[in-house]
Amino acid sequence: MAGQSRKWMILVAVIWIQAFTGTNFDFSAYSSEMKKVLGISQLQLNYLAVASDMGKVFGWSSGLALMYFPLWTVLFMAAFMGLLGYGIQWLVISNFISLPYILVVFLCLLAGCSICWFNTVCFVLCIKNFPANRALALSLTVSYNGVSAALYALAGGAFNASSSSLYLLLNSLVPLIVSIAALVPILRQPSVDPISPEAVRSDSIMFLLLNVLAVLTGVYLLLFGSNTSDTSTTARLLLGGAIFLLIFPLCVPGVVYARRWFHHTVHSSFHLSRSGFILVDDDDLELHKQLLSREGSLNNLNGSLNGSLNGSLYDDETFQYKMSSQKLCSDEDNTRCCEEMMEKDKLVMLGEEHPAQVLVGRLDFWLYYIAYFCGGTIGLVYSNNLGQIAQSLGQSSTTTLLLTLYSSFSFFGRLLSAAPDYVRAKFYFARTGWLTVALLPTPIAFFLLAAFGNSTAALRVGTALVGLSSGFIFAAAVSVTSELFGPNSVGVNHNILITNIPIGSLFYGVLAAIKYDGSAGVGLKLMFSPDSGVCMGRECYFLTFVLWGCLSFVGLVCSLLLFLRTKHAYDAFERNRRLVEVEAEKDLSSPCVIEQVA
């Protein structure tokens, strides 16, 4: 029981770390002040945001550090990188010191790298302490990363609402303080022992409760995160309420001791067989392969396909993979281009491992890459530009509110990414289909902003839609990558996927900055000018919104094509999974089991 309690304390510690280390999401809160102090153009300001996103490219270094240092050491290395990166930026923006522009770019890169190191520590803690429900643990904790901007907005209002530079000071100090608070649970990690199926189901119910609590936290921050009260006392009370909601999950260890009562009174009302956030775990994958092999032999499928599915050892991984994944296209259908594109090189099954050299040769991967590039990444760039967007429309006073809206709805989007698994028993839909649905609000939001950009309501609704869509994509990406291209290769493959973030940040940001500087009447010459230009009016971002809307529509189309190409693989997996469950229930049927199911 003590070990069970400690693992839930670790989960709460991870929630704290994630909630306060999404520091890249509050960039727009101080970007206008940074631009003014440094005397830079919008294009140069965009390069600072790109540098922060470029930190993700060096995320692999955290895994290398874990090979040589204890987990807690890597945690504090991340905290001190953030302390230096954001702390020195605070000194610059507060006019305590003066640094050349290139050094400020390096500080942004260092700060962005610290976020990846924090994420790696959190992933390792969840996977190690929740092996049976690791996906639910990951989905829950990653969701809290989306509320960082709202929490810092509350903290800024509580201490000094008029100071935008305060965000940088909080970004540098708070993660270090939280790391110190999380140190005790991390050092007292319990040993990982096998747990019974009943305990797995009990843990699933607790995760459901924690998700409900997370929704309440998100609603609270949405309602009060942009508090504009003139009294610091009210702002501090609201901040205290948010901190209480983050501490409240510590009651979970008490729930662990009462899990038997909870199981008998509540669990019977739900049907949660196991964590389904990542559909393809090791056991399900092997069963899926065996069932496909059996079905293939009974129906005399193509010999090369059977050979690759039934083989237990791959001498040449790339060659055998292609043999198992390619479908021959009939020469008689050459005139039907659309059907050929939909059938060519389709996935035969979920969870088959894709080495990197095979991954980059898959049409499905590039459809997925473009969908992410034209969906979630655009949402991130939009959040980086929120400060200038509000300023150009004469709504600088609403920047904090917009930041809170984006942060809160991004948090809801991340939570919704796990919802398909809770309704899976009654309504099954391929995860790539959910991804398509999640991308739909993005083009709607940008076309709405382009059409009614001067409207305060349109700006708020558009910001909320973009946050909701991008949050879902960020949280669901790991599981989609695992399902489509193999759970064992997800680390490498996902890092390949997220290279689109710094690329997109540079591409979209530069386009927006060029249009902004051009509308401000300063043009590209400002790159070498000490004076910064401020653009005012709807035209500053009108063409940018139209372009982003068109590109996000391209992402939506690519996501739809990916769904159509992978739907049969998801359907086959779900059909085989249910068949295995039915057979298992028959084999293990007993009067006690029948009574419990009834």
Side-chain angles (χ1 to χ4, degrees), residues 409-442:
F409 276 89
S410 176
F411 177 58
F412 291 139
R414 291 166 187 253
L415 289 177
L416 284 174
S417 67
D421 299 294
Y422 288 105
V423 301
R424 176 177 169 184
K426 295 183 179 180
F427 177 72
Y428 177 77
F429 193 48
R431 199 179 301 278
T432 48
W434 288 110
L435 188 70
T436 303
V437 174
L439 279 167
L440 186 59
T442 302

Side-chain angles (χ1 to χ4, degrees), residues 232-251:
S232 59
T233 302
T234 301
R236 290 171 184 173
L237 286 175
L238 293 175
L239 176 61
I243 294 175
F244 171 78
L245 288 173
L246 292 176
I247 296 175
F248 188 71
L250 282 174
C251 70

Side-chain angles (χ1 to χ4, degrees), residues 329 336-346 363 367 561 565:
C329 295
R336 307 179 65 179
C337 297
C338 292
E339 288 190 7
E340 285 186 5
M341 185 185 69
M342 295 305 300
E343 295 295 326
K344 182 181 179 182
D345 200 29
K346 286 174 64 174
L363 175 61
L367 289 173
L561 291 175
R565 284 174 55 84

Side-chain angles (χ1 to χ4, degrees), residues 199 289 352 379 386 389 399 402 451 482 498 547 560 574 585 587:
K289 288 181 178 179
E352 192 165 7
L386 266 178
I389 292 172
T399 300
L402 295 175
S482 174
I498 62 175
L547 178 61
L560 179 61
E574 180 67 10
E585 288 178 1
D587 294 339

